Amino acid sequence: MPIKHIQMKIINKIVLPFFLLLFSSGLLQAQEIIKDTVIVPIKKTQSTGKQKIDGVIGTVGDYIILDSDIDKSYLEISSQGGSVKDITRCQMLGKLLEDKLYAHQAIQDSIVVTDAEVKGMMEERLEYMTEQIGSLEKVVEYYKKDSEEEFRTYFSDILKENKLTSEMQKKIIEAVEITPEEVRNFFKKIPAADLPFFGAEMEVSQIIITPKVSAADKQKVIDRLNLFKKEILEGSSFSTKAVLYSQDPGSRANGGYYKMNRKTPFVKEFKEVAFSLAEGEISAPFETDFGFHIIYIEKIKGQEVELRHILLSPTVTEEALNEAKEKITLIRKRIEDKEITFEEAARTLSDEKETRANGGALINPKTQDTRFELTKMDPAFYSQVSNLKEGEISLPILDQGEEGKKKFKLITVTNRIEEHTADYANDYIKIKDLALKDKQITAIGKWFGDKIKETYIKIIGEYRDCAFTNNWIKK
């Protein structure tokens, strides 16, 4: 199969659905099946300008789609800066039908979206929207609702359906695995003229020195977390305290909420505490590389827990910062003087556990490979490494992570790979990713074919003439 066709399939079946899910199905409220003659205000169609009566145009299981839902989807995509000129009404309806089938089947498969999850997503989205628009009142006005309560009810249904859809999508894709033999066969079938072209990349290693925190400063944080725990046990809201005080940017807006199982990629210390607690229990303060935490277990469901946590990091003094800078400067000099290699220094002197065992080698979180494509690098990271020659060591860099912790680092480029046509041996991980996506596309297509056959689906009126990708009409 030509690689450009594979890439288009990936866009149409994986990338585009997630894009439209964000911008369009976010507008569509979950509804029970109702009779097909729902009448709402007269409107004009986008393409012809002719007036028509709005009503139900499609039914999928327990969900319906109104003709106006297509227009809402166009408006929402446009309001976010997206282009709709190449998206036909039939294509938009096809996407909405897919979303409804995902959500309907998620319920059949007993996928549960809790009120706590919806509430967490609600607060995160509202924070973002108020930043963009200016105030919650303006958000309510934008969505043409009469009150904040009406908007929250409306938006809660939207978020729940979106979550059901995304969880169903993930369930299908996560079940797909690929073998080395399948990757090899996939690559062999790509014509030479259609082989993908990969941009310039580099491999990077780093050494991290973290400023030391005094025992007294650590105790201050522990005492504060113990005070939070006492106040929560006396009736204060854990969620509210997390929003106000937690230094974890990934969960603060959601009241410290996380859902996890034993395979979820959290640091070891965090997981050990989380899975040692009973439902309703709050942990004592404990330490990880990120700082000090307390955890509250909200719900336990089999091997999965829903929890909230608060993270606080001790204050780093100027004296500690200066000592860390002096230490990393000395390490750099030792490497420059050939007393020790960069790799040896990373293994024995770096404070970063994740890279220390690999001699400082960084892993690209998007690909799980050691290569970083220059055009896809984080801008801040790119500015630190782009001018380094292979083997050159940077000056000490003061870095501050999202959690607010300061650290010094040395960076070196261990390998530069020029742009090139795909090579099976050297680009195996990227080729494997393409092959896996192609197999996922096939799995999604089969899933739709099977579920459409066994689900009540009805398309009404002129939309029955659409040339859908999936067999919604069941011809």
Side-chain angles (χ1 to χ4, degrees), residues 4-283:
K4 58 187 177 183
H5 292 169
I6 295 166
Q7 291 168 334
M8 282 307 298
K9 283 176 66 181
I10 291 168
I11 291 170
N12 292 334
K13 280 291 184 181
I14 296 178
V15 179
L16 182 60
F18 277 100
F19 175 79
L20 290 179
L21 174 65
L22 176 63
F23 291 127
S24 67
S25 75
L27 284 175
L28 306 175
Q29 188 172 5
Q31 304 169 75
E32 297 293 331
I33 295 179
I34 57 177
K35 56 188 178 181
D36 296 344
T37 54
V38 176
I39 303 298
V40 293
I42 294 175
K43 66 178 188 66
K44 293 182 179 181
T45 64
Q46 185 193 57
S47 57
T48 65
K50 294 180 181 179
Q51 289 191 334
K52 61 186 292 185
I53 301 297
D54 189 21
V56 175
I57 60 172
T59 303
V60 180
D62 292 334
Y63 294 98
I64 65 166
I65 300 172
L66 300 176
D67 199 23
S68 59
D69 289 335
I70 296 178
D71 299 292
K72 290 177 184 178
S73 299
Y74 278 121
L75 287 172
E76 184 68 6
I77 294 173
S78 297
S79 72
Q80 300 292 336
S83 173
V84 298
K85 66 183 181 69
D86 295 324
I87 304 175
T88 68
R89 293 184 73 82
C90 285
Q91 287 173 329
M92 190 68 78
L93 175 58
K95 177 61 183 66
L96 302 184
L97 289 165
E98 289 181 6
D99 290 343
K100 299 303 182 185
L101 184 58
Y102 279 131
H104 170 77
Q105 192 59 43
I107 293 172
Q108 307 309 305
D109 288 1
S110 301
I111 293 176
V112 176
V113 177
T114 66
D115 291 341
E117 287 180 279
V118 174
K119 185 178 179 181
M121 291 186 292
M122 173 80 75
E123 297 308 317
E124 183 178 6
R125 299 287 182 87
L126 285 181
E127 181 180 2
Y128 172 78
M129 286 191 288
T130 51
E131 285 179 1
Q132 298 299 309
I133 297 178
S135 68
L136 183 55
E137 290 74 18
K138 289 182 179 179
V139 173
V140 173
E141 182 182 351
Y142 178 83
Y143 281 91
K144 296 181 173 58
K145 299 301 174 184
D146 294 330
S147 66
E148 180 183 337
E149 182 180 1
E150 181 186 358
F151 170 76
R152 282 181 176 273
T153 300
Y154 159 81
F155 205 50
S156 176
D157 289 339
I158 291 171
L159 292 172
K160 185 170 185 177
E161 184 180 330
N162 286 353
K163 185 66 173 177
L164 285 169
T165 297
S166 64
E167 289 298 314
M168 192 68 244
Q169 289 172 329
K170 284 195 290 186
K171 182 178 179 180
I172 299 166
I173 291 174
E174 287 174 355
V176 179
E177 297 179 343
I178 196 161
T179 66
E181 184 64 24
E182 288 175 310
V183 176
R184 188 180 299 109
N185 291 334
F186 169 83
F187 185 74
K188 286 180 179 179
K189 291 178 182 178
I190 303 174
D194 290 323
L195 286 170
F197 193 76
F198 297 131
E201 299 170 307
M202 62 171 59
E203 294 179 313
V204 182
S205 292
Q206 67 182 22
I207 295 171
I208 299 293
I209 297 297
T210 305
K212 304 304 178 188
V213 179
S214 69
D217 287 331
K218 287 185 178 181
Q219 191 59 47
K220 287 179 184 178
V221 171
I222 293 171
D223 291 343
R224 194 176 186 203
L225 287 172
N226 276 323
L227 177 61
F228 287 165
K229 179 178 179 179
K230 179 176 180 293
E231 292 171 345
I232 292 163
L233 291 172
E234 291 173 351
S236 293
S237 166
F238 195 107
S239 176
T240 299
K241 287 196 178 294
V243 170
L244 293 174
Y245 304 112
S246 181
Q247 294 173 337
D248 174 18
S251 69
R252 182 171 54 223
N254 295 337
Y257 177 85
Y258 282 119
K259 180 166 72 172
M260 61 184 289
N261 56 47
R262 294 186 183 276
K263 294 182 179 180
T264 307
F266 278 75
V267 292
K268 178 183 176 183
E269 298 89 346
F270 191 95
K271 290 172 73 171
E272 286 178 347
V273 173
F275 286 102
S276 70
L277 299 172
E279 192 170 296
E281 189 176 359
I282 302 175
S283 74

